[in-house]
Amino acid sequence: MPQPYKASTITDPVLDGLYETLRLYQHGAFSVACTDCHVGPGELCLARRAVHRARRRAYRDKLATRELVPLLAAAA
């Protein structure tokens, strides 16, 4: 009988380290507040090893409105 799929124990500390680094420096989705679990920017979502879709969507919306080079865009 085949064994059920288990998450790798190798990836658990890697994901924890990645999310902690992103949280610490408020990069990516951790730079905006989560509307699902109501945590502020720079805090981990209450779901373990997951970032809510609404938080990722808010981050992508924030990126879409940001100009990469505001001075050059203003001069154009």
Side-chain angles (χ1 to χ4, degrees):
M1 184 168 182
Q3 295 289 331
Y5 175 75
K6 284 182 18 179
S8 172
T9 56
I10 294 173
T11 58
D12 289 346
V14 172
L15 282 176
D16 288 343
L18 172 66
Y19 283 162
E20 182 61 26
T21 302
L22 291 174
R23 182 203 65 80
L24 182 65
Y25 295 106
Q26 293 189 9
H27 284 285
F30 295 104
S31 65
V32 295
C34 182
T35 56
D36 284 352
C37 57
H38 306 291
V39 295
E43 295 182 36
L44 295 172
C45 283
L46 299 178
R48 182 160 168 74
R49 291 189 184 96
V51 179
H52 290 116
R53 284 187 205 152
R55 192 175 203 175
R56 291 184 193 274
R57 190 176 313 114
Y59 172 67
R60 285 192 295 269
D61 291 344
K62 181 180 168 185
L63 280 181
T65 60
R66 184 184 302 162
E67 295 180 14
L68 294 178
V69 187
L71 295 175
L72 291 177

